[in-house]
Amino acid sequence: MSDNQVFPVTAAASANTHCTKDNYKALYEQSVKDPDAFWGKEAKRLDWITPFTIVKNTDFTGDISVKWFEDGTLNACVNCVDRHLPEKENVTALIWEGDNPDDSVHVTYGDLYEHVCRFANVLKQQGVQKGDRVTIYMPMILEAVYAMLACARIGAVHSVVFGGFSPDAVAGRVLNCESDYIITADEGVRGGKHVPLKANVDEALKQCPNVKSVLVIQHTGGIVGWVEGRDVWYHEAVKSVTADCPAEEMNAEDPLFILYTSGSTGQPKGVLHTTGGYLVWASMTHEYAFDYKDGEIYWCTADVGWVTGHSYIVYGPLANGATSLVFEGIPTYPDASRFWQVCEKHKVNIFYTAPTAIRALMRLGEEPVKKYDRSSIRLLGSVGEPINPEAWLWYYNVVGEARCPIVDTWWQTETGGIMISPLPGAVDLKPGSATLPFFGVQPALVDADGKFLEGAASGNLVITDSWPGQMRTVYGDHERFKQTYFSAYKGLYFTGDGCRRDADGYYWITGRVDDVINVSGHRLGTAEVESALVAHAGVSEAAVVGFPHDIKGQGIYAYVTPPAGVEATEDLRKELVTWVRKEIGPIATPDHIQFAPGLPKTRSGKIMRRILRKIAENEYGSLGDTSTLADPAVVDDLIKNRRNK
Ligand code: WT7
């Protein structure tokens, strides 16, 4: 797409905006030249118990230390709930829209306060104390939000595990952060299908003898197994508590949550976010990137199991006193109009979703979109993966009727919130570009040797200095934090993304340059899928790569070598697909499994993934140099039996 296709800031977007074309540059300059002054002022958007006197204390060298507002104290839940009272007592905080289109609920800030306080008291009754880790494995129901805020209220650290993950994935995360408490529901519902959450927890906990209590929300009423002395029904426990629960005074650098995410090696790591800096970041980015104004209805379609749900369904919007919509369902149930039907029903003003959903809906045509009135929408957002210009234009013209700006927001679990994104009233749009950095964000491009690239260039995306929403460490493994993000380029945070900067200084993210694949906006490590595969008796060796996929962005392509004596049959192929789904979860379902008698290795035994990627992309005509292969003949077999023809 041409760098010159520009959609200028509209009059509607620049009216009453938080940031205009005229002041973006000056504010940005100030934010990076004098971070102490800028963030010292900006952090006042929160209510502090003890005001901070130190703003920024960060070091990207040596042991890597990131501290913001370090002598201040506050409570995140109070900032998201209590402080909006009494003014917003009767204002809707959350709208819940069920999987079934007949189900919806409005919760005011007054109600939210009561629900959260009661939930917090139930947690205390279970024995949860400040600093304890609590695993939340829930469907998209209001109690998921109450549970997160209740943890924050009493100073417990939540670790939300996406409801689509397998029992093994739950167990790994529970053990890694030594979480003795689980909150779940009997079942979830998505697209009319029931998800057996409690049964999955029961299965997971066979590996976790440490767990003391499982708090179960009754959602569908489905039949569940029960372990006396461990399992507790929430609706029964809540009867004996009051709605009076004082909030803990937390230090700005006390942990708020852990969220597991995939990397290029090993098992998922626990990204740790703390209280003050994270909340300042979530709140400010929500307000500016969406140009949020009081009274607007805001809908982010993500799941609270991902960071997008943390920052832009729960913490950002609620810190700003917004009305945030929580959606249990999927875009295509009961039919392909669901998103737009919900927008019409609740008069949604700001709509934030992922490119994979847009591409899937684009295939189904304009009819399902046009069936519903979208005149309430004034701003569209995109997140999770690069949005291709075709999908951008369809989103803009068909969904947004060519009148709503699109904010393409680049960020990561690690960054806590939006990093590169247009501000709707200030930055002209280019389809496919995340455009310019947010306040305080200093992106740079480097080549493989770490040399800074100036002007229009392509390279690896790094961030040169800290921002308040940055992750602080990998839970329990600071060494891994240093290794993963700060060892590639000295003194710089390495994002793992490739990126191009055009002559106007606009950033165009090109995707991961490491062994992370992005399937429908969900991150997976190739190593994770490989280790699931080799755990099966029918696999002696496996190599997994991503390949371009029309709807999912990237698909999963696995090369598998069965051990001697095991036949490579269609049945084994099917079994391995089911196996990976069971080991990790449906999002890790391989699109293609190719049986390979041998993998392309160098003489020192290193698998040449470059070659496997090319074959998976069906680009085997341009394999490049294969002269270092131990056995070049394996490549011919791989090409002959490729699956993505
Ligand atoms: C990776 C982070 C951000 C919350 C959801 C995903 C990719 C994310 C964009 C975008 C191009 C994007 C990057 C990034 N990504 N947003 N707007 N344009 N790429 O969080 O699971 O931590 O994944 O998602 O590759 O590194 P995550």
Side-chain angles (χ1 to χ4, degrees):
M1 179 66 44
S2 138
D3 294 355
N4 301 322
Q5 190 180 10
V6 177
F7 290 73
V9 171
T10 59
S14 56
N16 191 20
T17 181
H18 284 94
C19 181
T20 63
K21 255 188 157 165
D22 292 339
N23 66 7
Y24 166 73
K25 259 218 168 83
L27 270 176
Y28 178 79
E29 288 302 314
Q30 197 215 337
S31 73
V32 298
K33 286 212 176 97
D34 193 353
D36 281 345
F38 185 89
W39 293 110
K41 187 162 159 238
E42 196 54 49
K44 300 217 167 88
R45 60 173 45 248
L46 301 183
D47 276 2
W48 296 82
I49 301 168
T50 309
F52 52 86
T53 64
I54 305 165
V55 175
K56 180 175 188 283
N57 180 7
T58 67
D59 185 359
F60 276 10
T61 63
D63 208 37
I64 316 296
S65 158
V66 177
K67 290 182 186 153
W68 286 86
F69 319 113
E70 62 184 287
D71 59 350
T73 66
L74 75 169
N75 182 281
C77 175
V78 168
N79 273 283
C80 290
V81 185
D82 309 35
R83 70 165 170 152
H84 303 311
L85 304 174
E87 296 78 36
K88 294 204 166 176
E89 176 127 35
N90 298 314
V91 171
T92 303
L94 299 169
I95 301 173
W96 181 71
E97 170 74 19
D99 186 61
N100 178 337
D102 296 334
D103 294 343
S104 55
V105 176
H106 284 242
V107 177
T108 64
Y109 273 94
D111 300 335
L112 181 62
Y113 173 81
E114 295 228 344
H115 285 299
V116 170
C117 287
R118 284 189 209 278
F119 209 116
N121 278 332
V122 170
L123 292 180
K124 283 207 241 174
Q125 192 188 57
Q126 294 306 303
V128 180
Q129 293 181 2
K130 181 173 174 174
D132 286 347
R133 279 78 53 218
V134 176
T135 298
I136 300 178
Y137 181 62
M138 292 270 259
M140 282 293 286
I141 56 178
L142 291 166
E143 286 81 359
V145 181
Y146 304 158
M148 291 165 74
L149 293 170
C151 286
R153 189 166 194 88
I154 63 174
V157 183
H158 58 71
S159 163
V160 183
V161 178
F162 174 55
F165 277 128
S166 68
D168 265 355
V170 174
R173 288 157 172 77
V174 166
L175 291 172
N176 182 271
C177 69
E178 298 167 302
S179 155
D180 296 345
Y181 304 93
I182 317 276
I183 306 170
T184 191
D186 47 5
E187 297 178 315
V189 194
R190 276 169 63 83
K193 295 197 194 99
H194 287 219
V195 186
L197 295 173
K198 172 63 165 66
N200 288 349
V201 167
D202 290 343
E203 182 62 29
L205 295 195
K206 289 180 185 159
Q207 301 174 49
C208 311
N210 59 304
V211 171
K212 295 182 196 146
S213 136
V214 177
L215 198 55
V216 189
I217 311 293
Q218 191 168 50
H219 178 47
T220 63
I223 295 168
V224 294
W226 207 253
V227 176
E228 281 307 329
R230 185 196 74 182
D231 299 350
V232 178
W233 280 116
Y234 179 77
H235 63 272
E236 285 173 5
V238 78
K239 286 182 194 153
S240 59
V241 298
T242 68
D244 181 23
C245 177
E248 282 288 332
E249 176 170 355
M250 305 299 286
N251 182 271
E253 284 301 335
D254 280 337
L256 179 61
F257 66 85
I258 298 167
L259 188 57
Y260 286 85
T261 192
S262 298
S264 45
T265 56
Q267 290 303 310
K269 47 187 173 295
V271 167
L272 184 91
H273 283 288
T274 56
T275 308
Y278 169 80
L279 201 60
V280 168
W281 196 253
S283 160
M284 185 183 186
T285 51
H286 172 264
E287 185 170 16
Y288 278 75
F290 301 108
D291 223 348
Y292 172 76
K293 286 154 199 130
D294 212 28
E296 289 192 309
I297 313 288
Y298 160 90
W299 181 17
C300 164
T301 69
D303 190 288
V304 291
W306 311 113
V307 75
T308 311
H310 284 59
S311 302
Y312 299 112
I313 294 176
V314 182
Y315 288 111
L318 296 181
N320 293 338
T323 300
S324 180
L325 196 148
V326 175
F327 178 47
E328 183 184 28
I330 59 171
T332 48
Y333 179 84
D335 59 44
S337 287
R338 187 63 194 277
F339 274 176
W340 324 120
Q341 176 254 326
V342 174
C343 285
E344 179 184 291
K345 177 176 174 187
H346 297 293
K347 308 253 175 320
V348 170
N349 304 117
I350 301 169
F351 178 77
Y352 189 31
T353 196
T356 187
I358 298 162
R359 286 191 299 263
L361 295 174
M362 186 167 105
R363 288 209 156 180
L364 304 173
E366 301 183 3
E367 189 49 30
V369 187
K370 294 192 164 158
K371 246 170 84 182
Y372 290 92
D373 176 25
R374 284 152 289 115
S375 59
S376 61
I377 304 178
R378 70 156 183 84
L379 183 78
L380 300 169
S382 172
V383 62
E385 46 170 327
I387 179 164
N388 47 311
E390 298 72 19
W392 195 103
L393 290 168
W394 187 83
Y395 197 26
Y396 184 81
N397 288 315
V398 179
V399 176
E401 303 170 320
R403 59 178 175 76
C404 307
I406 297 178
V407 290
D408 173 4
T409 61
W410 174 85
W411 57 293
Q412 312 179 295
T413 305
E414 293 87 339
T415 69
I418 292 167
M419 298 287 279
I420 302 182
S421 166
L423 303 184
V427 178
D428 296 340
L429 308 171
K430 296 187 188 188
S433 171
T435 77
L436 301 175
F438 193 76
F439 305 119
V441 176
Q442 302 182 62
L445 301 180
V446 292
D447 68 12
D449 304 322
K451 194 168 91 35
F452 283 104
L453 305 169
E454 304 299 331
S458 286
N460 289 341
L461 180 65
V462 296
I463 313 288
T464 65
D465 199 358
S466 183
W467 62 100
Q470 183 174 22
M471 75 182 282
R472 303 305 197 242
T473 191
V474 170
Y475 185 80
D477 197 349
H478 194 68
E479 198 48 43
R480 194 169 174 199
F481 174 63
K482 279 166 37 182
Q483 270 302 319
T484 310
Y485 305 104
F486 297 93
S487 68
Y489 305 108
K490 230 179 147 48
L492 305 172
Y493 168 82
F494 178 41
T495 63
D497 279 315
C499 182
R500 179 169 75 82
R501 186 174 47 220
D502 71 18
D504 295 327
Y506 274 44
Y507 289 86
W508 303 69
I509 310 293
T510 50
R512 302 290 301 199
V513 295
D514 52 10
D515 288 320
V516 168
I517 38 188
N518 190 327
V519 183
S520 303
H522 304 318
R523 249 163 92 167
L524 281 169
T526 51
E528 265 175 279
V529 185
E530 286 162 6
S531 95
L533 281 166
V534 296
H536 188 281
V539 179
S540 77
E541 204 171 21
V544 170
V545 296
F547 69 98
H549 187 287
D550 281 352
I551 291 183
K552 298 196 254 187
Q554 278 189 299
I556 300 175
Y557 195 113
Y559 297 87
V560 164
T561 309
V566 171
E567 224 186 306
T569 60
E570 249 348 275
D571 280 351
L572 176 59
R573 199 197 305 278
K574 284 194 195 121
E575 197 178 312
L576 292 177
V577 171
T578 316
W579 174 262
V580 175
R581 286 175 68 94
K582 188 184 103 3
E583 289 280 300
I584 304 175
I587 58 167
T589 309
D591 296 273
H592 297 295
I593 293 186
Q594 174 172 354
F595 290 115
L599 296 173
K601 289 184 188 162
T602 61
R603 280 176 211 105
S604 60
K606 198 170 176 309
I607 294 177
M608 289 180 76
R609 293 173 168 278
R610 175 175 58 81
I611 292 177
L612 295 176
R613 274 190 215 111
K614 286 280 182 203
I615 296 172
E617 285 166 16
N618 213 8
E619 296 267 333
Y620 55 89
S622 54
L623 288 184
D625 181 16
T626 54
S627 63
T628 55
L629 281 175
D631 177 10
V634 299
V635 172
D636 298 333
D637 175 84
L638 289 172
I639 292 174
K640 198 170 98 220
N641 294 309
R642 71 192 187 279
R643 308 281 303 174
N644 184 25
K645 290 180 203 175

